[in-house]
Amino acid sequence: MMEVLWISTAYLAGLVASRLFLPPLVGYLVAGYILHGLGIVALPDLGHLADIGIQLLLFSVGLKLKPSSLIRREVLSVGGLHLFLMALISALVFFWLDKRVTGGLVLGVSLAFSSTVLAIKVLEDSGELSSLHGRDVLSILILQDIIAIALLAFADGKQPTLWALALFLLPLLRPLAHRMLSASRSSELMMLLGVSLALAGGVLAESVGIAADIGALLTGVMLASHPKINELADRLWGLKELFLVAFFLQIGLTDLPSREQALNALELLALLPLQGVLFFGLFLLAGLRARTAFISSLALMTYSEFALITTGAVVKAKLLAVEWQSIISLAVAGSLAVAAPLNRFSHRLFSWAEPVLVRFEKKSGHPDRLPESFGVAEWLVIGMGRTGVATYRALSEQDQRVVGLDADPTVLESLRSSGKRVVYGDVEDSELWSGLPLERVKGVVITVPTFEARCIAISQLKKRGFNGQIGTICYHADEEVKLKNLGANFVIHPLVEAGNQLAKQMLTDEAQDNLP
C-alpha cells in the first residue's frame, strides 16, 4: 500500500509540474516534502534505490566520456578557479551565519559544487550532452566530483585506501568489456550487463574508500567507443529515469525547516546568481562565446546533492548544529527547483539577453568560434550522425562540393581525421544563423536527431531568406506536416524509406533471377 502511495504521489506531482511547463523532477521534489509533511513513512529502500539511479546515470555518462576532455583549458581554469572563489565566498557566509569555523569551511566548499544529477539530466533531455557546452559542463562536474572525494574523506574522517588508485586501471579492461557487450545480442542481456557493470563499479569503489558514483562512471568509460554503445544507453534510459525519481523524492525526507531555517536557506539561494555570474565571466575569459558561456553557467548554477552528504558528516562530527541539515536540504531542493525551468528555457533566455551579453565576448581561436565561410561548398549537411555522414558521402560521390556542420567536438575531430570537411555549429544558436555564409549554398540537408532542433533550423533558414532546397527527416506523420509547413522541400521517414528500398531491391533481384 505504501509503495502505491509514494509512486502515485510522485506521478501526480510530476504531472502537475509538467502541465506548468516545469520538468517533472520539480514535482518529485515537492512530492517528497508533501509526503514527509503529512507524516507518511518513507519506503525502507528509497535511499538505496536513489543510489542505484545515480550510479546508472553516471555509468551512462561514462559511456560517452572522452578522458582527454578533462584536461582542456576551460575545464581546468574555469572549474578550478570557480571552485576556489565560490568556496571562499561560501565559507565566509557560513562564518557569518554560524561561528563554527571548521564545519562552515567544509560546507562552504561543498556548496561550491554543482548538481551532477540535474545538469546531466537537463543536458541529456535536451540532446545537448555531446555538444561543446555539454562536454564542458560534464567535464567540470567530473572534476568537481574528483575533488569532492577528498573533501568527503576530510569531513567524515575517512581516507581512500592506496588501492583506490587501481580504479583508474579499469579502462584497461576495455577489450574484455567490449567482448561481453558484443556477445550480449538481445536487448535484455545488454541491459543486464549495463546494470551489472554499473553496480559492480560502485561496489568496487566503495570497497577502497571512493564514492560509488566514480566507480560507476569508470566502468562506463570502460565500454566507451563500442559500436553498440548507443543501443545500450537507450536500453538503460527508462530504468535510470525510474530510479532517479527516488533520488528527488528522498531530498524531502529530512525534517521540515522552521521559519528561521527557511530564511537561512533563502539567503543561501540568494548566492546562486553570484555562482552563475562567476561561471559566465570565467568561461568568457577562457575564450568561449557569450552563448556557450551563458548556457553552461545556467547548467552549473545549482547546489550539489553532495552538500547533503557532507552535511550529515559534519553534523555527526558535531562541527555544525543539527538544524543545518534542514537548511542545506531546503537550499539544495530550492536550487534544483529554480535551475530546472531556467535550463529548460536557456536558449530563449539568451536570445532575450543576447544584445547585452555579447558585448563581453573577446576574440580568440577557441573551437567555439562560428564558421565565417564554407569556401566553394554548395551543399550543407547539418548533423553529422549516421544519416548525415551517409548524405555527405553520397553527395561527395556525385562530385558535389559539400560541407558538414555539427555541435559535437568529438564528432568533428573524428570526421576531420578521415578527410571530411566539417565545421562547428549549433542549430539552436541564433548567432550562427545571423552570420552563416549561405551565398553559394544550393541546398541544406538537416539530420539532427531532435524534432525541435530541425524546426528551428528550417525556420531560421527561411528567416534568412534562403531559397535553396531544404531536406530533412521525420519519425511521425504529424512531424512531416509541420516540417513542410515551415518550409522543408523534402521530408523523408528513415524507417519507411528503408522499407521501401528493401522491397524495391528484393523485387529487382527477383526480376533478374527470372530472366531467361
Side-chain angles (χ1 to χ4, degrees):
M1 177 64 184
M2 295 303 297
E3 290 85 352
V4 175
L5 180 62
W6 275 83
I7 295 173
S8 59
T9 303
Y11 168 75
L12 291 174
L15 181 62
V16 171
S18 65
R19 293 296 184 184
L20 296 175
F21 301 101
L22 296 172
L25 67 87
V26 176
Y28 306 150
L29 287 169
V30 174
Y33 279 109
I34 291 175
L35 290 168
H36 183 71
L38 295 175
I40 298 175
V41 180
L43 299 175
D45 295 325
L46 188 64
H48 182 57
L49 295 175
D51 291 339
I52 293 176
I54 295 174
Q55 290 178 45
L56 289 176
L57 176 68
L58 270 293
F59 176 79
S60 300
V61 170
L63 296 177
K64 301 178 181 179
L65 177 65
K66 190 173 182 180
S68 61
S69 62
L70 290 175
I71 58 176
R72 295 202 311 276
R73 179 183 62 185
E74 60 264 30
V75 174
L76 297 177
S77 61
V78 175
L81 189 55
H82 176 273
L83 182 62
F84 172 77
L85 293 174
M86 278 304 299
L88 179 62
I89 296 170
S90 299
L92 289 175
V93 171
F94 264 100
F95 298 159
W96 175 60
L97 293 176
D98 199 300
K99 303 303 182 182
R100 306 191 187 193
V101 175
T102 304
L105 179 60
V106 172
L107 274 187
V109 174
S110 69
L111 286 178
F113 295 104
S114 305
S115 172
T116 301
V117 175
L118 178 77
I120 293 177
K121 183 167 173 48
V122 167
L123 290 169
E124 191 175 47
D125 289 347
S126 61
E128 297 176 346
L129 191 57
S130 60
S131 66
L132 180 63
H133 67 268
R135 291 183 181 275
D136 282 342
V137 169
L138 174 59
S139 299
I140 289 175
L141 289 170
I142 294 172
L143 179 65
Q144 290 180 350
D145 285 343
I146 293 173
I147 298 174
I149 294 171
L151 181 60
L152 185 58
F154 173 79
D156 60 14
K158 297 180 182 179
Q159 294 183 354
T161 68
L162 290 176
W163 288 103
L165 296 175
L167 286 177
F168 294 99
L169 299 178
L170 279 177
L172 297 179
L173 298 176
R174 177 175 295 181
L176 176 61
H178 279 211
R179 286 189 179 184
M180 294 175 65
L181 183 56
S182 298
S184 306
R185 298 183 178 179
S186 69
S187 58
E188 293 87 355
L189 288 175
M190 291 179 64
M191 185 171 65
L192 286 174
L193 175 63
V195 173
S196 299
L197 289 176
L199 298 183
V203 171
L204 182 61
E206 287 183 324
S207 67
V208 295
I210 297 294
D213 307 347
I214 298 297
L217 177 75
L218 291 174
T219 51
V221 173
M222 189 171 61
L223 280 175
S225 76
H226 191 282
K228 291 185 178 181
I229 212 65
N230 290 329
E231 188 177 352
L232 174 60
D234 291 341
R235 295 290 178 270
L236 290 175
W237 188 85
L239 188 64
K240 172 196 63 183
E241 294 289 297
L242 181 61
F243 279 107
L244 280 177
V245 173
F247 168 78
F248 293 109
L249 283 173
Q250 76 165 356
I251 292 180
L253 294 181
T254 54
D255 292 334
L256 292 175
S258 63
R259 183 175 179 274
E260 183 179 356
Q261 292 168 356
L263 289 176
N264 285 336
L266 288 175
E267 289 173 343
L268 292 177
L269 284 175
L271 287 174
L272 274 179
L274 175 60
Q275 181 174 347
V277 169
L278 272 177
F279 264 125
F280 180 74
L282 292 172
F283 276 125
L284 290 180
L285 289 175
L288 272 68
R289 291 184 301 117
R291 175 184 178 274
T292 307
F294 180 82
I295 296 174
S296 300
S297 299
L298 277 187
L300 293 166
M301 197 178 71
T302 56
Y303 288 134
S304 174
E305 54 277 354
F306 172 75
L308 301 174
I309 304 172
T310 311
T311 303
V314 294
V315 168
K316 185 178 180 181
K318 298 182 179 180
L319 297 174
L320 277 180
V322 176
E323 57 263 23
W324 276 108
Q325 285 189 287
S326 297
I327 295 172
I328 298 301
S329 175
L330 183 60
V332 172
S335 73
L336 297 180
V338 170
L342 288 178
N343 279 274
R344 179 186 178 94
F345 301 108
S346 60
H347 296 282
R348 296 183 186 178
L349 290 173
F350 176 75
S351 297
W352 175 72
E354 183 176 6
V356 176
L357 297 180
V358 293
R359 298 176 184 176
F360 299 100
E361 287 184 359
K362 70 172 188 176
K363 294 183 179 181
S364 71
H366 194 277
D368 190 31
R369 300 299 102 184
L370 296 175
E372 297 180 356
S373 172
F374 292 148
V376 296
E378 297 179 329
W379 296 90
L380 172 63
V381 179
I382 300 177
M384 293 298 287
R386 284 179 293 182
T387 305
V389 170
T391 304
Y392 183 103
R393 186 183 300 115
L395 289 169
S396 298
E397 290 174 352
Q398 296 295 321
D399 295 325
Q400 299 295 315
R401 294 186 287 267
V402 58
V403 64
L405 185 144
D406 201 280
D408 188 337
T410 303
V411 169
L412 296 177
E413 181 181 344
S414 174
L415 293 174
R416 284 169 181 164
S417 64
S418 64
K420 293 181 176 60
R421 187 167 177 232
V422 290
V423 295
Y424 169 79
D426 187 339
V427 295
E428 296 188 77
D429 185 351
S430 57
E431 188 179 350
L432 168 71
W433 297 107
S434 62
L436 201 64
L438 298 172
E439 295 77 15
R440 294 175 177 267
V441 177
K442 295 179 179 178
V444 178
V445 181
I446 306 167
T447 65
V448 289
T450 60
F451 174 65
E452 183 178 358
R454 278 175 264 140
C455 291
I456 290 174
I458 296 172
S459 299
Q460 289 289 353
L461 285 169
K462 288 300 180 181
K463 186 177 180 180
R464 278 283 311 275
F466 180 69
N467 295 319
Q469 298 293 310
I470 301 176
T472 188
I473 57 174
C474 73
Y475 296 96
H476 304 284
D478 57 333
E479 291 182 356
E480 180 177 359
V481 173
K482 185 171 183 179
L483 292 170
K484 285 188 174 181
N485 288 338
L486 288 173
N489 301 99
F490 305 100
V491 181
I492 294 177
H493 192 307
L495 300 180
V496 172
E497 185 64 20
N500 292 336
Q501 290 296 325
L502 182 60
K504 181 179 179 180
Q505 187 63 46
M506 292 182 69
L507 291 173
T508 301
D509 292 345
E510 182 185 25
Q512 291 177 349
D513 292 339
N514 292 332
L515 290 175

